């Protein structure tokens, strides 16, 4: 699983600080977006989603913001913990056929 | 996610060999997908199936084939493995019917020598 993080942008964050991970998506017609977390040696895990009729959605310690004007998505993690160290990537639903396009991902490293 | 299982978890094979990766799910989802993941390239769709009778090519289907044996099972085959098929392979499922969230298995690490 370690090799997934090679060549990815890396965000180093102090434990307890907030993290912001950004994603630019490609298709202005995309109507659904998902953030996934991938820990070393594991498959991607669903974190939070948002539909295009919303600009903000909150979960437990996570918030997703959607700016359709500039086709930008962000994931905010509050009070980052060591267990948050992972690769995070966004996905967009390209249309009605349920196919997702995935971003390349961002590596988050939490410094204790 | 224990609801989606993949076998084997790791596989080493030689160029020219035929291999099969298997995926099973207990989520009751109709839709299943196979992806490969390479460093720096993200997840790329190989094949997907919306029900037992439905098979569709993804963006990188060349060199691969699939079989949807049942709602719960979707297997990926490499007819004649080549080194550039060395990658992480993930199976995923989704319910469809307005729920587009895909749930992933733990992955298969494949090395083709």
């Amino acid at each position: 699983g370690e090799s997934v993080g090679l060549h990815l942008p890396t965000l180093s964050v102090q434990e307890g600080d907030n993290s912001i991970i950004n994603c630019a998506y490609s298709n202005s017609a995309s109507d659904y977006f998902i953030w996934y977390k991938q820990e070393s040696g594991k498959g991607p895990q669903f974190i939070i989603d948002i539909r295009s009729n919303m600009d903000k959605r909150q979960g437990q310690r996570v918030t997703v913001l959607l700016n359709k004007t500039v086709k930008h998505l962000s994931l905010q993690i509050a009070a980052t913990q060591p267990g948050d160290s992972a690769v995070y990537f966004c996905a967009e639903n390209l249309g009605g056929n349920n196919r997702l396009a995935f971003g390349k991902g961002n590596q988050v490293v939490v410094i204790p | 996610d224990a609801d989606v299982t993949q076998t084997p978890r790791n596989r080493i094979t030689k160029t020219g060999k035929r291999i099969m990766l298997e995926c099973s799910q207990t989520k009751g989802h109709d839709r299943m997908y196979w992806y490969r993941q390479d460093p720096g390239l993200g997840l790329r769709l190989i094949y997907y199936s919306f029900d037992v009778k439905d098979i569709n090519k993804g963006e990188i289907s060349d060199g691969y084939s699939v079989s949807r044996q049942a709602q719960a099972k979707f297997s990926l085959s490499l007819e004649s493995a080549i080194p550039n098929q060395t990658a992480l392979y993930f199976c995923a499922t989704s319910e469809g019917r307005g729920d587009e969230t895909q749930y992933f298995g733990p992955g298969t690490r494949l090395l083709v020598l």
Side-chain angles (χ1 to χ4, degrees):
Chain A
E2 301 75 32
S3 61
V4 171
L6 288 176
H7 316 301
L8 294 178
T10 299
L11 172 68
S12 296
V13 59
Q14 201 73 36
E15 182 178 356
D17 288 352
N18 297 335
S19 304
I20 299 177
I21 307 159
N22 296 303
C23 176
Y25 64 91
S26 59
N27 190 338
S28 57
S30 294
D31 58 2
Y32 177 65
F33 305 87
I34 308 172
W35 277 102
Y36 285 92
K37 171 186 180 183
Q38 187 175 16
E39 297 176 87
S40 179
K42 297 184 179 180
Q45 176 186 5
F46 171 87
I47 303 174
I48 192 169
D49 59 1
I50 189 168
R51 295 202 175 272
S52 58
N53 61 352
M54 304 171 69
D55 53 22
K56 180 179 180 179
R57 188 161 190 229
Q58 289 184 289
Q60 187 177 12
R61 281 201 308 117
V62 294
T63 300
V64 55
L65 299 177
L66 175 62
N67 185 330
K68 294 182 286 295
T69 303
V70 295
K71 293 188 287 187
H72 184 267
L73 197 65
S74 68
L75 177 70
Q76 300 177 1
I77 305 174
T80 311
Q81 302 169 358
D84 295 328
S85 292
V87 173
Y88 292 82
F89 50 90
C90 63
E92 59 181 305
N93 185 323
L94 297 175
N97 62 3
N98 204 43
R99 289 178 60 176
L100 298 179
F102 293 85
K104 293 181 174 56
N106 289 268
Q107 176 93 53
V108 172
V109 176
V110 180
I111 304 166
Chain B
D1 190 327
D3 296 324
V4 183
T5 57
Q6 292 182 234
T7 56
R9 293 296 314 278
N10 294 278
R11 179 74 183 268
I12 300 174
T13 192
K14 295 182 179 179
T15 298
K17 294 291 188 183
R18 181 181 189 276
I19 67 162
M20 180 182 290
L21 309 183
E22 303 202 26
C23 177
S24 295
Q25 53 114 347
T26 58
K27 298 182 82 68
H29 289 170
D30 285 329
R31 302 183 175 193
M32 298 187 74
Y33 310 80
W34 274 104
Y35 293 90
R36 68 176 279 174
Q37 188 176 46
D38 300 274
L41 292 179
L43 286 160
R44 293 183 291 167
L45 183 64
I46 306 172
Y47 272 96
Y48 62 103
S49 168
F50 282 359
D51 64 41
V52 175
K53 297 184 180 66
D54 178 74
I55 300 289
N56 304 282
K57 292 183 177 181
E59 57 185 304
I60 52 162
S61 59
D62 287 350
Y64 302 95
S65 62
V66 290
S67 174
R68 185 79 185 268
Q69 300 96 322
Q71 187 206 36
K73 295 185 183 296
F74 192 37
S75 59
L76 175 72
S77 293
L78 285 66
E79 299 302 326
S80 179
I82 56 177
N84 77 1
Q85 290 177 313
T86 293
L88 273 169
Y89 289 85
F90 289 102
C91 174
T93 75
S94 68
E95 184 173 357
R97 302 189 205 98
D99 183 355
E100 298 95 340
T101 306
Q102 293 185 18
Y103 298 90
F104 287 81
T108 295
R109 184 179 296 276
L110 176 66
L111 173 61
V112 183
L113 300 175

